[in-house]
Amino acid sequence: MNRVTAEKTEGIVPVQEAGRIRVQNVSRFFLQDSGPDVIALNNVNLDIEPGKFYSLLGPSGCGKSTLMRIIAGLDEATLGTITLDEEPIRGPHFLRGMVFQDPTLFPWKTIEENIASGLEARGILKEKKHEVQEYIRLVGLEGFEKVYPHQISGGMAQRASLARALVNHPKVLLMDEPLGALDAFTRMQMQEEILRIWQSRGTTIVFVTHDIDESVYLSDKIVIMTPRPGKIKEVIDVPLGRPRSRNHPDFWRIRSRILRIFGFSPDFADSYHI
Ligand SMILES: Nc1ncnc2c1ncn2[C@@H]1O[C@H](COP(=O)(O)OP(=O)(O)OP(=O)(O)O)[C@@H](O)[C@H]1O
């Protein structure tokens, strides 16, 4: 453990055991009054191993958010089942923490109150209040406890929404394009932060992105999805150690393989967003 990790994770209560998600024969159809019905997901099967970092990668409309919303319990599959540790998913639950592209903080609450809101909703804020400060420290927001969301940057707001999910000790953290709205510099900083927190907490992560390099940099496994109908084309292993170098030949090999799967030439160097 490096010095920063040791400093920032010290005092944090032990993590829940990481969860296993099984997606079995899941389809989601959207019936339209006019125009053809949409097959957002078509017979998707995926076994998400506990404690691993998964990315869902694919172009717009391939069903990434739909799959995340069903895992989160915010939407229901038309066909098939999804389980967390063998328990069927029925509705949202704090054991499946969610972070969206828009940090969705309550504007009238301070950062501290926002992070505490999940505990408050579960009626356990009184006994767990000390943990709020621990998570504020874990995500690097010390000194910003009493400020309101409009007073902080997008990156800081995303840290707050990450802390709000983590304070509930989720078994799984679902992150739907959490870095999509950030500038390139903040985005790279946040990639490091997410890795640091994931490595210290051990939670299973499912992370949606359009960015091939981001998926190779972060993930243990990359789930490649394709649209019309939305389905999984391939699950790619990323057998690279950490920390990773974006310039390492093995990094480039995986990146090139993904570009080829999407039908791009591997020397299509500048446009790695799909
Ligand atoms: N509520 C809805 N009603 C009708 N169609 C929908 C609905 N939600 C999603 N869809 C359609 O389902 C398909 C998959 O959408 P989804 O948002 O899951 O894709 P995505 O891969 O997350 O896209 P993006 O990267 O642009 O967010 C798209 O064709 C979308 O238009």
Side-chain angles (χ1 to χ4, degrees), residues 30 32 38-40 58-67 177 208 210:
F30 290 106
Q32 306 291 318
V38 177
I39 306 175
S60 197
C62 68
K64 304 180 296 294
S65 294
T66 302
L67 181 55
E177 282 196 72
V208 167
H210 288 110

Side-chain angles (χ1 to χ4, degrees), residues 63-239:
K64 304 180 296 294
S65 294
T66 302
L67 181 55
M68 289 291 262
R69 287 176 56 78
I70 298 174
I71 298 173
L74 299 171
D75 190 11
E76 277 181 42
T78 312
L79 299 170
T81 54
I82 302 193
T83 56
L84 170 61
D85 294 336
E86 313 298 328
E87 288 289 319
I89 286 170
R90 294 193 189 91
H93 196 284
F94 67 89
L95 288 177
R96 284 169 273 119
M98 186 91 196
V99 177
F100 299 93
Q101 179 170 347
D102 170 5
T104 63
L105 299 173
F106 298 117
W108 61 88
K109 290 189 185 229
T110 64
I111 293 309
E112 185 179 52
E113 288 165 351
N114 265 287
I115 294 171
S117 59
L119 297 175
E120 197 177 5
R122 289 167 57 207
I124 55 167
L125 181 56
K126 218 167 158 193
E127 58 268 41
K128 300 272 186 184
K129 192 135 201 237
H130 61 285
E131 290 189 24
V132 173
Q133 191 54 39
E134 287 169 13
Y135 280 91
I136 285 173
R137 203 158 65 90
L138 179 73
V139 300
L141 284 178
E142 307 99 313
F144 295 92
E145 293 84 346
K146 307 292 179 205
V147 306
Y148 288 87
H150 73 274
Q151 296 174 288
I152 60 175
S153 68
M156 290 162 82
Q158 247 346 350
R159 286 167 194 262
S161 82
L162 187 55
R164 181 180 55 184
L166 288 171
V167 77
N168 280 314
H169 304 176
K171 288 182 164 199
V172 176
L173 192 56
L174 305 169
M175 309 183 85
D176 193 351
E177 282 196 72
L179 311 184
L182 304 179
D183 63 85
F185 181 75
T186 311
R187 187 170 184 145
M188 285 173 83
Q189 262 186 339
M190 285 298 290
Q191 289 170 356
E192 298 304 329
E193 288 289 287
I194 289 168
L195 280 178
R196 176 180 64 77
I197 290 165
W198 168 66
Q199 285 170 328
S200 70
R201 308 304 290 144
T203 314
T204 311
I205 292 190
V206 189
F207 185 99
V208 167
T209 182
H210 288 110
D211 183 330
I212 294 176
D213 280 22
E214 183 168 83
S215 72
V216 180
Y217 190 71
L218 295 175
S219 321
D220 293 314
K221 305 237 185 197
I222 302 173
V223 180
I224 309 264
M225 297 183 69
T226 50
R228 286 176 293 278
K231 59 174 190 269
I232 294 178
K233 179 151 190 183
E234 206 167 324
V235 179
I236 290 194
D237 248 316
V238 186

